[in-house]
Structures are given as structure tokens and as C-alpha cells.
Amino acid sequence: MNNIENLEKMFATWEKSTEQLWDFTRQAMGSLNWNQDQLGKYFQKSLEQGQQAREEGSRMLDEFASQFKNNQLYFQKMMEESFVGAVKNFELPRIEYFDDLFQKITSSYQNSNT
């Protein structure tokens, strides 16, 4: 083989290697693009799940607060009914009784001093 044939063979090999390098580069770029696409989908799904979790948590908190309020009102009503039932027949002394008692005590004291 002469030098010209060797050069032609070398340039042909170089051209083939360059084409293979560009094919490999395109495949690598395609793989990177696919990976970015998959990561984008993953992060988008994560964001959507986070938003759903926040909405669900907010809804549950609202339900909890509403139930807590209803329970508190029910407890308050039960306490009111219990106290009203307990003291319904119990007669508390009126202020007039204390005034009468005070007058009797003071008049007795005055009578005993005279």
C-alpha cells in the first residue's frame, strides 16, 4: 500500500469515527433530554401531591375545628341543663331575708342593751 491509500484509509476511518461520535452525542443528548423530562414529571407530580396534601390537611383542620366547636356548644348546653335541673327546686335566700335577719339581730342587740 502506498501513502495515498494509507491517507485515504486514515481519513475514511476518521470520518467513520466522527460520525459515530456524533451519533453517540445525539444519543447522550436524547438521554439527557429524556432524564430532564422524567425529572420534570416527577417534580410536577410531587408538587401536585403536596398541594393535594395541603388541601386535604386544610379540609381536615376545618372539620376538626367545626366538630370541636359543636362539641363545646353541646357540652355547654349539657352543663346549663344540669345546673338548671339541679337548682330548679332549690330556693336561694333573697336579699330581703338577709335584711330581715339583720334587722332582727340589730333590734335584739338594741333591746338587750337597754
Side-chain angles (χ1 to χ4, degrees), residues 6-98:
N6 283 339
L7 281 175
E8 287 175 354
K9 192 175 182 182
M10 185 182 74
F11 280 114
T13 304
W14 187 17
E15 184 178 339
K16 188 175 181 182
S17 296
T18 305
E19 286 178 22
Q20 289 176 348
L21 178 66
W22 284 111
D23 286 343
F24 174 76
T25 303
R26 276 194 299 270
Q27 288 176 353
M29 296 298 277
S31 178
L32 288 174
N33 191 28
W34 181 83
N35 287 339
Q36 283 184 327
D37 187 47
Q38 293 301 312
L39 282 173
K41 287 178 182 177
Y42 170 78
F43 286 124
Q44 182 65 33
K45 189 169 186 157
S46 294
L47 289 172
E48 289 171 359
Q49 288 175 345
Q51 184 177 2
Q52 288 174 350
R54 282 191 306 275
E55 289 171 357
E56 180 70 15
S58 179
R59 185 186 60 77
M60 289 176 65
L61 185 61
D62 287 345
E63 288 177 9
F64 173 76
S66 176
Q67 185 64 40
F68 188 77
K69 177 184 173 187
N70 290 339
N71 289 347
Q72 189 269 334
L73 291 173
Y74 178 73
F75 178 74
Q76 184 178 345
K77 184 70 174 169
M78 281 181 31
M79 292 298 292
E80 180 183 344
E81 289 174 1
S82 296
F83 281 115
V84 167
V87 297
K88 182 170 36 174
N89 296 324
F90 181 73
E91 187 177 322
L92 294 173
R94 295 189 310 249
I95 298 294
E96 298 144 6
Y97 294 149
F98 291 113

